[in-house]
Amino acid sequence: MQYVTNGEKVYRTHCQNCHGAQGEGLGKLYPPLTDPNYLHDNRASLPRIIRFGLKDSITVSGHTYSENMPAIPELTEVDIAYVLSYVTVRFGNAKSKYEVEEVQKSLKPATEKK
């Protein structure tokens, strides 16, 4: 699957340093990316977290993480679809990849989503 292969490259460059080579996270600082329930339940917001960062606390696998995640605005919508396909399929056991259209819809301001 091209999306997963390309997503691994994006992940290694932009995500692995904090979230680990296997998506295991970093102690109590950075959350793991291996909780399939979190990935599934937050599928629509994950592209926004990557593009715009995250300043709020989140709970993943029963643990709360409150470190800020920096925005990665230089990633294209295709790059975001790639990396989320990699994370959700490889670490979260998802059966389907992220489509670019899904990422585009998620990134639109709320007033444009209709």
Side-chain angles (χ1 to χ4, degrees):
M1 180 184 291
Q2 175 190 354
Y3 273 59
V4 174
T5 301
N6 291 343
E8 183 176 12
K9 295 171 189 168
V10 176
Y11 182 85
R12 277 197 235 130
T13 302
H14 295 281
C15 314
Q16 182 171 307
N17 197 40
C18 294
H19 292 288
Q22 302 302 315
E24 70 274 13
L26 182 60
K28 295 186 182 206
L29 291 176
Y30 305 113
L33 303 176
T34 55
D35 181 340
N37 293 324
Y38 182 85
L39 296 172
H40 177 269
D41 295 346
N42 295 281
R43 186 174 175 99
S45 63
L46 295 175
R48 290 191 308 276
I49 291 172
I50 292 171
R51 172 69 57 84
F52 304 115
L54 183 66
K55 292 181 173 74
D56 298 327
S57 295
I58 60 169
T59 301
V60 180
S61 299
H63 300 284
T64 300
Y65 299 87
S66 53
E67 289 292 320
N68 290 345
M69 179 177 151
I72 313 174
E74 65 270 19
L75 291 183
T76 66
E77 292 164 349
V78 172
D79 290 334
I80 293 170
Y82 286 162
V83 76
L84 285 175
S85 292
Y86 174 72
V87 167
T88 58
V89 170
R90 173 115 191 273
F91 303 141
N93 300 317
K95 303 293 182 225
S96 62
K97 67 182 171 91
Y98 268 78
E99 297 291 343
V100 174
E101 295 79 14
E102 182 179 5
V103 170
Q104 291 169 335
K105 182 178 178 184
S106 176
L107 293 176
K108 283 183 182 178
T111 55
E112 292 182 32
K113 287 190 179 182
K114 296 177 182 177

